[in-house]
């Protein structure tokens, strides 16, 4: 039986820049050295990928994903050639569904009918920003309204919708990013991916950066933007599929500048836990040491990379020691601090309320 709680196991078929009418400012996919897989090679590719799936992943949904370009902007007959190759796998149950990535302005009604007909379940659209000026500077060739219209029509057809967003494009600001998120939350896609803009070899942005007409965000700025963004999204029904680009050899070979980190999501989660710990310590001055409690899976994020959070908290609050106790019974997203004196017990803060500072004081959890 298929395990619906686990994210799907993706078999990615990378079609670099296929169908793209122009080249977006930040994109180096036309410079990609990877050859485009032809429709006639799809079957062998899927068979080889299925053979590599470990036994303990057998129960996961298996999804073939046509990534890397604007799938629905290629000729309709060519879309069919690719989609047809997956049909025998869908019929035999070896593959459960199909995912494609595309542009929001390449999803007319006929295309949507065709996607449904061939078993496409998920459509990821390159949204990047909901601010028209940012889209225009990024040479996207579509506007925010195209995203709104595509999202609504995909949802009406019962397709799962993903939004791919970027931060730090030319013309983008923190406020504009928050406005983008507000609009995305109104549109309510099923999931989002967000990544910071990087300068990649071969992308038109490289020239702007070399001419000093574009400066990417630094790593700390990107973490601070995404910290706020992640908390906003966690207060909505939208799931966050990924923060930061997937580290690949191709990416590392082409990276020139910008806020890249292979464990970006962990940096953002650590920054949130730092704020929570600081909030607790500010509200519960507690002598020379502190004892925090959290779910065991959050201990490493609380410590931060290379213990950075612990070192900063010690110096900020003049503490000699910080202890962390992992407590299985504590839900993820809560952080506790042991308190002393008359109010001895624990104070807790919840991840989403760290800014609004609603502390709950509990004797026991
Ligand atoms: S639509 Fe996507 S793949 Fe095509 S050029 Fe723009 S970013 Fe690159």
């Amino acid at each position: 039986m298929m395990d619906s709680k686990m994210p799907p196991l993706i078999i990615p078929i990378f079609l670099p820049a296929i169908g793209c009418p122009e080249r977006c400012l930040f994109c180096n996919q036309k410079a990609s050295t990877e050859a485009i897989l032809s429709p006639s090679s799809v079957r062998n590719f899927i068979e080889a990928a299925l053979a590599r799936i470990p036994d303990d992943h057998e129960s996961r949904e298996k999804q073939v994903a046509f990534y890397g370009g604007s799938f629905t902007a290629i000729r309709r007959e060519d879309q069919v050639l690719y989609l047809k190759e997956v049909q025998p796998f869908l019929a035999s149950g070896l593959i459960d569904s199909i995912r494609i990535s595309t542009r929001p302005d390449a999803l007319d009604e006929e295309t949507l009918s065709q996607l449904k007909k061939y078993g496409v379940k998920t459509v990821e659209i390159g949204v990047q920003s909901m601010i028209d000026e940012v889209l225009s500077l990024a040479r996207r060739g579509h506007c925010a309204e195209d995203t709104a219209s595509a999202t609504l029509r995909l949802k009406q057809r019962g397709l799962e919708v993903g939004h791919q967003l970027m931060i730090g494009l030319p013309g983008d600001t923190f406020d504009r990013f928050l406005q983008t998120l507000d609009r995305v939350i109104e549109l309510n896609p099923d999931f989002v991916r967000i990544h910071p803009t990087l300068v990649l070899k071969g992308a038109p942005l490289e020239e702007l950066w070399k001419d000093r007409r574009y400066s990417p965000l630094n790593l700390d700025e990107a973490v601070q933007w995404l910290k706020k963004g992640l908390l906003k999204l966690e207060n909505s029904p939208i799931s966050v599929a990924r923060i930061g680009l997937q580290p690949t050899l191709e990416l590392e070979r082409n990276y020139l500048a910008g806020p890249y980190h292979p464990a970006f999501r962990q940096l953002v989660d650590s920054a949130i836990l730092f704020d929570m710990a600081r909030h607790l310590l500010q509200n519960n001055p507690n002598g020379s040491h502190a004892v925090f409690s959290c779910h065991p899976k959050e201990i490493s994020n609380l410590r931060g990379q290379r213990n950075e959070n612990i070192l900063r908290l010690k110096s900020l609050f003049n503490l000699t020691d910080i202890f962390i106790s992992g407590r299985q019974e504590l839900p993820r997203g809560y952080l506790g601090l042991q308190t002393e004196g008359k109010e001895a017990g624990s104070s807790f803060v919840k991840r989403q309320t760290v800014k609004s500072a609603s502390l709950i004081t509990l004797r026991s959890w």
Side-chain angles (χ1 to χ4, degrees), residues 15-30 68-70 102-103 126 128 138-140 164 166:
L15 306 172
I18 197 168
C20 301
E22 298 171 47
R23 177 116 70 104
C24 304
L25 188 73
F26 51 85
C27 181
N28 78 335
Q29 293 205 16
K30 283 194 174 148
S70 306
T102 194
R103 305 165 51 86
Q128 324 311 357
R139 302 181 199 162
R140 286 289 295 169
Q164 298 167 1
M166 293 176 74

